[in-house]
Amino acid sequence: MSIITLCTDFGPYDSYAASMKGVILGINPKANIIDVTHSIPRHDITFAAFVVQGYYNYFPKGSVHVAVIDPGVGGQRYDMVLRTKDYIFVGPDNGVFSYILINQPSVCHEINIPHAVSATFHGRDVFAPAAARLSLKWDKSVLGNIIKRPVILDIPKPIISTRGITGEVIHRDHFGNLITNIPSAKLDAIAKNKVLDIFIKGVKIQGIRNTYEQCGNDAPCAIINSFGLLEVTINAGSAHEKLGARKGDTVKVLWK
Amino acid sequence: MSIITLCTDFGPYDSYAASMKGVILGINPKANIIDVTHSIPRHDITFAAFVVQGYYNYFPKGSVHVAVIDPGVGGQRYDMVLRTKDYIFVGPDNGVFSYILINQPSVCHEINIPHAVSATFHGRDVFAPAAARLSLKWDKSVLGNIIKRPVILDIPKPIISTRGITGEVIHRDHFGNLITNIPSAKLDAIAKNKVLDIFIKGVKIQGIRNTYEQCGNDAPCAIINSFGLLEVTINAGSAHEKLGARKGDTVKVLWK
Amino acid sequence: MSIITLCTDFGPYDSYAASMKGVILGINPKANIIDVTHSIPRHDITFAAFVVQGYYNYFPKGSVHVAVIDPGVGGQRYDMVLRTKDYIFVGPDNGVFSYILINQPSVCHEINIPHAVSATFHGRDVFAPAAARLSLKWDKSVLGNIIKRPVILDIPKPIISTRGITGEVIHRDHFGNLITNIPSAKLDAIAKNKVLDIFIKGVKIQGIRNTYEQCGNDAPCAIINSFGLLEVTINAGSAHEKLGARKGDTVKVLWK
């Protein structure tokens, strides 16, 4: 049983995702197709890149992860297969796999799909058949030229000073939680046992709580989330809405 | 082939549901993961409890039903396995399985997952692995202490008088239908062949129709729905919107 | 492994789709249930008909396609099984399978499900069990009388003159693309190598582009889409919103 996950911005009601599923099952009838989401905000490659890094490594080794957020379909960007030690990724070479490229040794290839394809829907005509064939075995005929410099988004890194760390919001989730690029490992390494203040949008948050429940219900609160990242949350509300904060906003952690 | 259903409030676009699926497939590669929904309104345990009772018993015996609506994650509430004669339920002990606890003999256990888990995402770190292991076999090592008094929501019951039944709206569905807690079995038992008037929000509805089509297109209409419950509906519109009615509103059935 | 696809307007959060899945797996535990969508706009049979024709023939032969957009449930319309050479379709006889009926030789039967069913949810009580049984084998006991004249929607056809083609918008997709009923094959046959102007809502678009990327970012643009149909699009926006255009609006292609 080979697993193929699908992550797209095709939205909730069109036939696009289903036609990819049909193509996959036509090539590999035993593929176990797993819907990640088809509701990535339209054309938001940065959003999708964060989502992809959130699930890919919880799947069994050998899983094929397809992501189709593809505003440049039919244009200059490559159709890409990215292979790491444990996973295969299939999608456009537009940065959607940035976190994998940054964090994992990998090899990227253009995709060879011989027959004619539409210029507007490579999800169905290129990525679905490539993923299905790669899920059957490591099918070299799918692989074209090596892509030497795959596109990597400019993922912001936190900046460390003697008094603190300056990061930013990199994702807002469904609950309105503001996820930052500040990893708990870094905080542990340099600020262990220190008294921390967190600043966002002019608001000061004292200390980091262990659970959402400890946050109380209405106040902005800092937490280490399930990605191991610092997150600003409001337990019974939306930190995004109440703070008016969004992706790119600065978050500072200061100690004394 | 073991079935694991997933019902969450994780929303349409994050990685949370997918990471649960990955964890499940890593433990039980043959699990047949069935998406119920990931769009339960945020933290709405009562809503989810009604949804769960709507599907669980249509699945084959032995299915594992996971529900993660979990505002108290990491706090005092238990991680729970609930077992009935035919099904296994996995989720927080916060009332999400109330209808099962009320209607079925059941035994509840805390969950033993030995390794360290995040304090913010038991869906991925506790419920998914517990469900996967229980789907393989009835794995006693997953089971901790018995939970003697699992949380049960205060599900309102209809009140019967000599002239009628007073109930309330307990769920509004996607179509705007207002589902009440008045069962058709009760109406049959005490008001069979009587002429019935239904009152909601000051509006009087005469009689109960058999099909949506019989309702005509614009008038509020009463029907026995597929749950066997009295429902107020508007065939080509939303009873919720047109009547301004919502969960908790009183519904009376009177006869002469 | 038999494939059963589900396309409904049940919305994102109720138990209705899940209860269909449970019924299917109870009858055919090996059914591979594929979610197409449960977010077809409420009761919009025309919308669903277009979506169904977008995916059905990408699935392996023998797949069973279930579509439940069913405002007339429990009323006069038939419960229907439609069989073509390659596929089985299950749903109400209300036009949801119009494109298949128009384009494929087919035979339609009423559905025989002997036991009592609800008057309000044939998805769960008729279509799910019928689909599951037909997925196991071509089970004649499910088939009732032949339906001689199944309902076919009035799908508009483009009108050809000596100077051009007049069609209309037949679908708006998630990206706001305006999909017309003008097939590229027709344009190729009669306007090959001609200079084309496309008119919609008083706006003139010069020529047909090959890819979304060629469209530039803000201007209305014409393209042949992955259905092989003429489509009006705005690459970084919504043609639907910017042009104020919707289903039924006229689209003209003129040449000199």
Side-chain angles (χ1 to χ4, degrees), chain A residues 7 26 54 65 74 77 79 91 96 114 120 135 139 143 161 177 188 197 209 223 246 248 254:
Chain A
C7 175
H65 295 299
R77 62 127 194 79
D79 297 317
V96 71
T120 58
S135 76
D139 176 352
L143 305 177
S161 70
N177 295 321
D188 282 350
D197 290 330
R209 301 277 178 267
I223 203 164
R246 58 189 63 250
L254 297 183

Side-chain angles (χ1 to χ4, degrees), chain A residues 114-152:
Chain A
H115 53 76
V117 299
S118 75
T120 58
F121 192 10
H122 285 197
R124 183 191 69 193
D125 297 342
V126 178
F127 302 132
R133 287 165 61 182
L134 291 167
S135 76
L136 286 168
K137 63 176 196 292
W138 183 245
D139 176 352
K140 292 206 171 181
S141 71
V142 173
L143 305 177
N145 294 328
I146 293 269
I147 301 174
K148 289 184 185 166
R149 295 186 183 174
V151 173
I152 299 181

Side-chain angles (χ1 to χ4, degrees), chain A residues 2-7 32-37 51-66 86-89, chain B residues 6 14-27 29 33 124:
Chain A
S2 40
I3 294 164
I4 299 177
T5 74
L6 299 183
C7 175
N32 187 5
I33 300 173
I34 300 291
D35 285 309
V36 172
T37 174
V51 170
V52 169
Q53 67 84 36
Y55 63 82
Y56 79 94
N57 63 343
Y58 289 97
F59 280 85
K61 293 180 184 183
S63 295
V64 179
H65 295 299
V66 182
D86 293 332
Y87 300 105
I88 297 166
F89 298 83
Chain B
L6 299 183
D14 280 303
S15 59
Y16 306 132
S19 59
M20 286 184 66
K21 296 179 186 181
V23 168
I24 288 169
L25 292 170
I27 293 170
I33 299 173
R124 182 191 69 194

